[in-house]
Amino acid sequence: MVSVVIPAHNEAKVIGRLLDGLLAEAAPGEFDVVVVANGCTDDTAEVARPYDVRVLTTPVPSKSAALRMGDEAARGYPRLYVDADVELSTAAVRALATALAAPDGPLAAAPERALTLDDRPWPVRAYYAIWTRLPHVRSGLFARGVIAVTDAGNERIRALPPAMADDLAASLAFAPDERVIVTAVHAVIHPPRTLADLLRRRIRAQTSVTELERTTTSAGERTGLRDLVAIVAREPRLAGAAAVFAAMAVLARRRAARAIRTGDYTTWLRDESSRN
């Protein structure tokens, strides 16, 4: 049985959207879905309960604690960890499970990303035009909203210390030949609707990457000027987008400096615009 763990903090607006797609074509009992409503002040748990899922609640508003709670309650493998604000189909869950079925196969898998950008302002679209072309973004398991693991893969990530960038930490826990991106299916990602909310996300990303750099031996690749030059060299039309990306990166680094200086790796700068 495939288990799906969904940490959900104040996700009443979107949890139904995820569960509708995830369970749309699932046979009764095919998936073991555990929704962990953590520290909610809205009706996330009430929205989720009518579905064929188990709903756990905790007053602690912590994603890492919710993941641990859901992990303890989950019954099967492969096991998926899914963010409540993405969209994932029944077919995608099955494809990820199949990718991990071989005894000598990968330990972790994730779907391709499908970003909803058509109605976003130009600077947001420009930022993601560059971000989605970065080599480490294309190959990493992070920022997809979904990570699937085998039993052995689960042991690997359970040994990791709690971190704000839990998906990046999980991605880095596996060598390239131990993980796979299943390009035949995708998770729908909803980017910010405003530049201010994009900046909030980037500040959080900058802070969380720094936390990993200070607490682990590896925090992955940092985007540098060489990466932007290489992208523009291949696609000169993206020169303006590269300028937007660079400006956002510099601004986020400056805004994150205070949190990094004080060691604040718990304040979660949440983008609400993408949930509307």
Side-chain angles (χ1 to χ4, degrees):
M1 176 185 292
V2 178
S3 282
V4 182
V5 176
I6 306 171
H9 171 68
N10 287 344
E11 301 287 12
K13 293 180 181 179
V14 295
I15 188 68
R17 180 182 67 190
L18 168 62
L19 295 176
D20 282 338
L22 194 153
L23 297 171
E25 300 176 356
E30 180 179 1
F31 301 150
D32 166 42
V33 182
V34 182
V35 176
V36 185
N38 62 97
C40 293
T41 56
D42 67 0
D43 56 349
T44 296
E46 287 69 27
V47 172
R49 282 197 177 99
Y51 292 87
D52 183 17
V53 304
R54 289 183 288 145
V55 179
L56 309 180
T57 61
T58 172
V60 181
S62 165
K63 182 180 180 182
S64 60
L67 286 169
R68 288 194 299 272
M69 177 180 287
D71 217 24
E72 293 297 330
R75 297 167 178 160
Y77 291 98
R79 187 163 299 172
L80 277 68
Y81 303 99
V82 181
D83 290 347
D85 61 338
V86 305
E87 295 180 62
L88 193 70
S89 68
T90 305
V93 176
R94 291 171 178 162
L96 291 168
T98 299
L100 298 177
D104 57 348
L107 301 180
E112 191 56 89
R113 305 179 186 91
L115 277 68
T116 58
L117 288 166
D118 289 347
D119 62 345
R120 271 37 175 187
W122 177 81
V124 173
R125 298 199 309 272
Y127 179 91
Y128 282 103
I130 299 298
W131 184 81
T132 54
R133 286 168 168 80
L134 295 171
H136 60 282
V137 170
R138 295 176 69 89
S139 63
L141 300 177
F142 61 89
R144 298 175 188 273
V146 181
I147 294 179
V149 294
T150 63
D151 189 351
N154 185 48
E155 290 182 9
R156 182 86 57 89
I157 62 175
R158 282 172 67 100
L160 297 172
M164 183 183 292
D166 57 283
D167 58 345
L168 177 57
S171 181
L172 293 170
F174 302 99
D177 62 347
E178 294 179 320
R179 62 182 193 242
V180 64
I181 304 300
V182 182
T183 57
V185 295
H186 60 265
V188 178
I189 309 295
H190 296 271
R193 294 180 180 274
T194 70
L195 200 58
D197 281 294
L198 173 59
L199 180 59
R200 289 169 64 85
R201 282 199 183 191
R202 300 324 303 164
I203 294 170
R204 187 181 76 210
Q206 179 69 37
T207 305
S208 60
V209 168
T210 302
E211 177 191 21
L212 287 181
E213 289 176 340
R214 293 184 175 183
T215 58
T216 66
T217 57
S218 173
E221 300 178 39
R222 289 269 192 174
T223 303
L225 181 60
R226 182 177 299 178
D227 299 303
L228 302 186
V229 170
I231 291 172
V232 174
R234 290 193 301 270
E235 300 180 72
R237 67 183 180 82
L238 293 176
V244 171
F245 184 95
M248 289 296 295
V250 170
L251 189 56
R253 189 173 295 117
R254 290 178 177 174
R255 295 284 181 88
R258 184 175 184 276
I260 293 170
R261 187 170 57 251
T262 59
D264 179 7
Y265 300 120
T266 59
T267 300
W268 189 273
L269 295 178
R270 177 164 153 139
D271 160 35
E272 295 290 350
S273 69
S274 62
R275 291 171 168 82
N276 293 328

